Amino acid sequence: MEAPKIFGWIERHKATIQRYMIPTLLFLVGMVYLLVYVTGGIKYVYSHSMYIPILLAGLVFGIKGGIAIGLIAGIVLGPFMPMNVVTGEMQETANWLYRAFFFTAIGAISGAVCDLVANYLSHLRWLSRHRRSTRLPNRRALLDTLLDMSQIGEPKDSAVLAVIAIDNTLELKSAFGFGVIEHVTKQLARRLALNGGDDIFHTDSAQVTLILNKGDKENGRFLKKLGVLLQEPVSYNDISVHIEARTGYVAFDAIDKEPEVYLHRAEAALALVQERAQDMTAYSPEIVTKTEENLSILGELQTGIESGQLSLHYQPKIDFKTGKICSAEALLRWNHPVRGMIAPASFIPRAEQSTLIQTVTQFALKEAILQHLEWDKQGIRIPIAVNISTRNLLHPDFTDNVIKLLDEYNIDGDWIELEVTEGALMIDMEHTIDELIRLAGAKFSISIDDFGTGYSSLQYLHRLPASLIKIDQSFVKRLPNDKGAAYIVDAAVMLAKKMDIKTIAEGVESKEVYNYLKRLNCDMAQGHYIAGAMTDKEFSRWYLERNGIYASTA
């Protein structure tokens, strides 16, 4: 057994060992006394046997125990032990006093060494169960606590394991430096403790976990209060700082599985909350199933692109004034060999949060360019719109790569529209504007997608090189009866007219909405009332049958 394990075992059973060692040490001292006496007295070498109980006392009781047994041993082999038993000659006082001092010193030294080792091992155990930066119990301590609860039959009623993560860590670190995360985490833990949090743990760099074991009603009250607590700002260098804290939790009546299972469930709920930008949610089995499926799908996306499983479908856009089919939006479709058709909502949002979005967008742009060249041969000369994401615009080589595609296939940028969501513009507006200006300089048409869903794009709209704004379908679908939606759409159309920007309404699902938008002088329309998304061959046939004119009865 290794030395740390020996000391660890001694530490765990310290009280029991000490209880039995007191009589054992006294017995050993007595036995050494008898050994020295029966072998002729202190003049012979057997007195050194007394080091055994002295060292044992230092090992078990530390410095105090070593000194105590050293003194007792010195006295036992002192005035009560003859120099020579046969002649009856007694020791000189200085002789046995020196020996008693030496025994005491050996006991003190052995005890001090053992105390130092025990303290060091205790410190190592503390470090293994705590985060040094915040001094809070760590992930291992959490799992040990859950294990202890299971062994004593806890919880009696109901318990909750809640994982709270600070979601805006990059923003905080870029503004205040790396130390802000530990500072904020400590404040958050202190706030939870002062407001009734039970056991609180620092389980990740920007993650706090707590166990609520107050019963079902009290746990529920605390979770309701938690939302308010997490919205309060924290203080850093006398500055009030907002933190984006999100919570995933799991409730349980008994711990009948490994502790890691409950932590995994709470973190799975947290991952869903972060993905959806919500505040809090509870674990359900469907979360893990969906997360596993999403990760699996994302893992197969690269292969899907390379093996030709992904393709573009095209939805037409109609010019209200001329009735012409003026453009087509390229929409990604994935025909998986096992899963069948995978809905874009199942992989596009997750891909946009990963580096795979660069590959996906590059694929879509290349396919759209090739499709334009093919349609051009058939006499279908309309631009194709491709969606680009936030990560695309923030990538340092994106604009250069897109322009290279034009040169590679020898086409003008006029034939490709780039649709960027209004929300994407808000992340790094200055950089985004610079990139869009470069793209517009290469003759790409820039379209602002989901217009009206953002909150600050109006102040930047005059700076954007946009030739088109796309009114979000959440407003269009509520026309014409919803007055609020009607006001927003009317204002968007009027604003665009004054800025010489064209408008397109997406999500046109009925003749009534189509006619309303036409009377409103909206420029273009897109939606299932006109036509759904079609394969390239279906779109060609649909377009050529109409000679490029949408034959509406409106």
Side-chain angles (χ1 to χ4, degrees):
M1 187 180 290
E2 298 175 2
K5 293 184 178 179
I6 294 174
F7 281 101
W9 184 88
I10 291 173
E11 187 67 27
R12 290 193 301 273
H13 301 84
K14 189 173 183 178
T16 303
I17 292 172
Q18 288 179 340
R19 189 166 57 249
Y20 286 104
M21 281 302 292
I22 292 174
T24 301
L25 290 171
L26 294 175
F27 174 76
L28 288 173
V29 170
M31 290 302 294
V32 173
Y33 173 83
L34 288 175
L35 175 64
V36 173
Y37 188 85
V38 299
T39 54
I42 200 70
K43 64 183 292 185
Y44 298 104
V45 75
Y46 298 103
S47 61
H48 294 300
S49 302
M50 192 60 81
Y51 291 126
I52 294 174
I54 293 172
L55 292 171
L56 281 174
L59 175 65
V60 176
F61 292 97
I63 188 170
K64 292 181 180 179
I67 291 173
I69 295 300
L71 283 171
I72 292 171
I75 294 171
V76 167
L77 294 185
F80 304 104
M81 177 61 67
M83 177 69 73
N84 190 316
V85 174
V86 176
T87 63
E89 180 187 358
M90 298 304 292
Q91 302 178 65
E92 292 183 7
T93 301
N95 188 12
W96 71 262
L97 282 175
Y98 176 78
R99 187 184 304 106
F101 170 77
F102 195 76
F103 282 170
T104 303
I106 293 298
I109 292 170
S110 67
V113 170
C114 290
D115 283 346
L116 285 173
V117 172
N119 289 337
Y120 178 69
L121 292 174
S122 177
H123 179 63
L124 290 180
R125 283 194 297 274
W126 186 90
L127 288 177
S128 72
R129 292 171 54 84
H130 292 78
R131 299 279 295 207
R132 183 181 296 183
S133 58
T134 59
R135 306 187 70 80
L136 290 168
N138 62 12
R139 194 181 193 92
R140 178 179 173 181
L142 168 64
L143 298 176
D144 288 345
T145 301
L146 291 173
L147 185 61
D148 292 342
M149 289 175 63
S150 70
Q151 291 173 348
I152 62 174
E154 291 283 347
K156 301 297 183 186
D157 181 6
S158 176
V160 168
L161 180 67
V163 181
I164 304 164
I166 300 169
D167 218 26
N168 58 332
T169 54
L170 290 177
E171 185 181 22
L172 291 171
K173 285 188 287 189
S174 65
F176 302 105
F178 289 92
V180 68
I181 301 302
E182 284 75 18
H183 187 86
V184 167
T185 303
K186 283 193 285 187
Q187 279 198 50
L188 184 59
R190 191 181 305 118
R191 183 183 299 171
L192 294 172
L194 291 174
N195 285 276
D198 292 337
D199 299 311
I200 301 171
F201 306 84
H202 189 177
T203 49
D204 210 338
S205 59
Q207 182 174 295
V208 172
T209 301
L210 67 154
I211 299 174
L212 301 174
N213 193 15
K214 303 173 180 290
D216 192 42
K217 289 184 179 178
E218 284 300 317
N219 292 342
R221 289 193 192 100
F222 186 88
L223 288 173
K224 286 183 180 179
K225 184 168 63 174
L226 185 61
V228 178
L229 291 174
L230 296 178
Q231 289 177 2
E232 295 177 6
V234 298
S235 177
Y236 185 73
N237 291 340
D238 297 325
I239 301 172
S240 263
V241 178
H242 171 72
I243 59 171
E244 287 287 342
R246 310 195 189 282
T247 307
Y249 68 92
V250 58
F252 50 92
D253 299 323
I255 302 176
D256 50 10
K257 296 178 175 61
E258 291 296 320
E260 290 87 349
V261 172
Y262 299 95
L263 181 56
H264 172 254
R265 289 176 176 178
E267 288 180 334
L270 174 64
L272 182 67
V273 165
Q274 290 175 318
E275 181 182 332
R276 296 180 177 178
Q278 296 173 327
D279 293 331
M280 181 186 302
T281 196
Y283 165 82
S284 66
E286 293 77 16
I287 289 177
V288 173
T289 303
K290 186 164 184 61
T291 302
E292 289 176 350
E293 184 179 357
N294 286 344
L295 289 173
S296 175
I297 288 174
L298 203 62
E300 297 174 15
L301 183 55
Q302 181 76 40
T303 304
I305 293 173
E306 293 171 354
S307 60
Q309 298 171 22
L310 272 71
S311 62
L312 295 182
H313 284 202
Y314 302 89
Q315 188 173 33
K317 302 177 184 181
I318 305 303
D319 187 300
F320 275 116
K321 288 184 178 179
T322 64
K324 290 182 178 180
I325 303 165
C326 58
S327 179
E329 181 178 2
L331 301 168
L332 205 58
R333 296 293 184 265
W334 187 356
N335 188 8
H336 194 279
V338 177
R339 304 174 189 270
M341 290 300 295
I342 299 177
S346 297
F347 67 95
I348 292 294
R350 187 65 185 85
E352 286 181 338
Q353 299 172 12
S354 73
T355 54
L356 280 173
I357 195 60
Q358 307 301 334
T359 305
V360 171
T361 304
Q362 197 76 1
F363 166 81
L365 285 166
K366 185 175 180 179
E367 289 294 304
I369 290 172
L370 291 172
Q371 189 59 61
H372 163 73
L373 294 173
E374 178 61 30
W375 279 346
D376 188 58
K377 295 174 185 177
Q378 302 174 26
I380 303 174
R381 296 181 177 86
I382 57 173
I384 299 176
V386 177
N387 291 279
I388 59 176
S389 79
T390 310
R391 280 183 177 265
N392 293 142
L393 290 170
L394 296 178
H395 193 280
D397 298 325
F398 175 72
T399 301
D400 290 334
N401 290 336
V402 174
I403 294 172
K404 283 178 184 177
L405 283 175
L406 296 183
D407 296 335
E408 181 181 349
Y409 292 98
N410 194 29
I411 72 164
D412 291 332
D414 298 315
W415 298 108
I416 301 295
E417 295 175 9
L418 299 177
E419 292 192 3
V420 55
T421 60
E422 185 180 7
L425 300 174
M426 299 301 106
I427 294 176
D428 188 345
M429 177 58 73
E430 295 302 325
H431 178 79
T432 300
I433 290 174
D434 290 342
E435 294 301 300
L436 291 178
I437 288 173
R438 286 188 63 202
L439 290 166
K443 297 185 179 180
F444 286 101
S445 296
I446 307 298
S447 172
I448 309 303
D449 201 3
D450 302 334
F451 188 80
T453 58
Y455 52 88
S456 58
S457 60
L458 287 177
Q459 62 181 306
Y460 295 104
L461 189 59
H462 68 284
R463 296 176 56 196
L464 293 170
S467 54
L468 185 69
I469 60 173
K470 200 171 191 181
I471 302 169
D472 188 65
Q473 59 183 318
S474 62
F475 303 113
V476 175
K477 287 182 177 180
R478 284 152 43 198
L479 297 174
N481 299 320
D482 188 310
K483 290 185 178 180
Y487 290 148
I488 291 172
V489 174
D490 187 27
V493 172
M494 288 180 61
L495 175 66
K497 294 288 184 189
K498 290 180 179 180
M499 299 185 68
D500 198 26
I501 298 174
K502 291 187 176 181
T503 52
I504 177 171
E506 65 173 334
V508 177
E509 307 291 336
S510 68
K511 181 179 180 180
E512 184 182 22
V513 173
Y514 184 94
N515 289 336
Y516 179 86
L517 290 165
K518 189 175 183 179
R519 289 194 301 271
L520 199 62
N521 288 324
C522 183
D523 294 295
M524 289 175 277
Q526 176 185 351
H528 285 281
Y529 172 70
I530 299 162
M534 297 170 273
T535 65
D536 57 332
K537 290 182 175 58
E538 290 171 341
F539 187 94
S540 298
R541 185 165 54 252
W542 184 86
Y543 181 96
L544 293 172
E545 285 175 353
R546 291 162 176 75
N547 292 319
I549 304 295
Y550 175 63
S552 172
T553 57

